[in-house]
Amino acid sequence: MESLIGIISLIIIIAICAIIGSYNKKAKKVKKIKQDKNASLFITLLHYSGLPVAQNIYTKIFSKPNEYEFCANNMTFKLLKEKVTDVAITNDVEIQKSNVSSIGGAIGGAFLFGPLGSMIGGRSKEKTSNIVTSYLVFTYLDHDEIKYISFNCTNDFKAMKFVKEFKQNNQKINSDIDL
């Protein structure tokens, strides 16, 4: 019994070491990419809109000292930070409704009250679910026109670093736009 516990403990320790090793390799790779591009931040997200590439294309996003750089499909797009008016994360909530019937309710109703109980217990019910999608949005001015570049950042909390960096480094730029 004690040898079994020892073997299981050894396997767990080896698994933990492997996980830590792969995390360290990934962290070193990201650090190297940031150094090569002279970037303070780096993330890979799915493109949603704003760039002349298809939707849902993986895009590498770099925050450099004077610009944001977006790399997708062997193309590089640069956005000067002086043009950027806001970097934010927005949410889109999609409400889905579906009708579900309860087989368990039908069986329980039939057992207790017969056929009428089966119909009542198994009746269709409406189930509602909310799907929240988050987007990292770069808002910028292009010849006095407001434009947006957005990326799907659902479940990727590193995107918030871009927002924090923008808020910390942003000097309030007043822009007059004639509507």
Side-chain angles (χ1 to χ4, degrees), residues 31 34-35 46 70 90 103 117 134 150 156 168-169:
K31 186 176 180 180
K34 285 170 47 176
Q35 284 177 343
L46 290 173
F70 310 102
T90 61
I103 292 180
S134 299
S150 58
D156 197 332
Q168 288 173 352
N169 297 333

Side-chain angles (χ1 to χ4, degrees), residues 108-159:
F111 180 71
L112 292 174
F113 303 108
L116 181 61
S118 174
M119 289 189 317
I120 293 172
R123 74 181 181 279
S124 177
K125 298 176 184 116
E126 188 173 82
K127 180 181 175 185
T128 304
S129 62
N130 294 337
I131 299 172
V132 179
T133 307
S134 299
Y135 300 97
L136 175 64
V137 180
F138 295 86
T139 306
Y140 66 100
L141 284 175
D142 183 29
H143 302 8
D144 290 335
E145 183 180 350
I146 297 174
K147 294 189 177 181
Y148 306 94
I149 301 173
S150 58
F151 302 91
N152 186 331
C153 66
T154 305
N155 300 325
D156 197 332
F157 302 107
K158 291 183 281 184

